Amino acid sequence: MVVLGHSSPARWAAPEGPWTEPDLHLFPQDGHRYEIVDGSLHVTPPLAEEHETVVRALVTALRAAAPEGWWVCTRLGIELGTSKLIPDVTVLRPRSSGASWADPADVALVIEVETDTSRRYDRLLKPDVYAEAGIDGYWRVEPLPEPELHVYELGPDGYQPAQTIRGAGPVKVDAPFPVRISPDAWL
């Protein structure tokens, strides 16, 4: 960090080479999400309350259905080689390592809840990185105008659409464990 004079605000300096996990500790806890993709920094602005409401509803449903030993976490970072991503929700298999940055081998499912500022990132880049790491399941939520859950399963060429869920009635999803999902109840 470079400080210019006593009255000037602190300014962040980029590293000489690629961004790494220790560089993420330089940033303030200001509500932004700081992630690294192949050594490049990606910043998402603070999230709206509607987004957080959907995340809480998903976590509640998954935790209620999770068999003993499974972990459902919010904003747990995943170490993916030169990428460090932070999904909205992560489901860890039993006997996971418990590291502060999860190993992809421990991750059964990642969930991203789209916002206007994350739509392309959540639809294009993040699923590709998660699939390359071998994470079995990816869920993407479109919260507005009506909540929709898009369930993807890992195939030989990346994630393949498996199911789209919308509406008030509970719909069963089998992976990573059986859970009933009702998107209209999220908002």
Side-chain angles (χ1 to χ4, degrees), residues 33 47-56 75 88 112-115 118 122 143 187:
R33 185 175 306 183
L47 303 166
E49 184 55 35
E50 293 83 13
H51 177 276
E52 298 306 291
T53 299
V54 173
V55 168
R56 282 190 298 272
R75 290 170 194 77
D88 290 312
E112 298 290 355
V113 178
E114 286 186 4
T115 66
S118 72
D122 292 343
L187 293 175

Side-chain angles (χ1 to χ4, degrees), residues 8 23 25 69:
S8 296
D23 297 321
H25 300 287

Side-chain angles (χ1 to χ4, degrees), residues 40-83:
S40 296
L41 181 67
H42 185 275
V43 181
T44 305
L47 303 166
E49 184 55 35
E50 293 83 13
H51 177 276
E52 298 306 291
T53 299
V54 173
V55 168
R56 282 190 298 272
L58 284 162
V59 167
T60 299
L62 287 162
R63 284 182 178 163
E68 187 174 333
W70 288 78
W71 289 88
V72 179
C73 309
T74 59
R75 290 170 194 77
L76 174 69
I78 303 173
E79 186 163 354
L80 306 148
T82 59
S83 298

Side-chain angles (χ1 to χ4, degrees), residues 49-161:
E49 184 55 35
E50 293 83 13
H51 177 276
E52 298 306 291
T53 299
V54 173
V55 168
R56 282 190 298 272
L58 284 162
V59 167
T60 299
L62 287 162
R63 284 182 178 163
E68 187 174 333
W70 288 78
W71 289 88
V72 179
C73 309
T74 59
R75 290 170 194 77
L76 174 69
I78 303 173
E79 186 163 354
L80 306 148
T82 59
S83 298
K84 310 290 185 269
L85 297 181
I86 304 170
D88 290 312
V89 180
T90 304
V91 177
L92 297 174
R93 293 182 171 86
R95 293 176 289 288
S96 297
S97 69
S100 58
W101 286 89
D103 182 321
D106 291 340
V107 179
L109 171 69
V110 290
I111 304 173
E112 298 290 355
V113 178
E114 286 186 4
T115 66
D116 290 341
T117 58
S118 72
R119 183 170 290 114
R120 289 178 200 249
Y121 195 49
D122 292 343
R123 289 183 182 196
L124 303 172
L125 184 63
K126 280 186 149 183
D128 190 50
V129 175
Y130 295 142
E132 281 181 12
I135 296 172
D136 292 329
Y138 177 69
W139 293 4
R140 182 178 52 82
V141 176
E142 293 178 52
L144 299 173
E146 300 291 325
E148 284 186 356
L149 170 62
H150 301 274
V151 176
Y152 299 89
E153 295 172 351
L154 188 60
D157 297 320
Y159 289 118
Q160 305 301 313

Side-chain angles (χ1 to χ4, degrees), residues 160-179:
Q160 305 301 313
Q163 195 173 3
T164 296
I165 301 168
R166 60 181 73 82
V171 175
K172 184 180 174 201
V173 179
D174 291 321
F177 42 75
V179 59

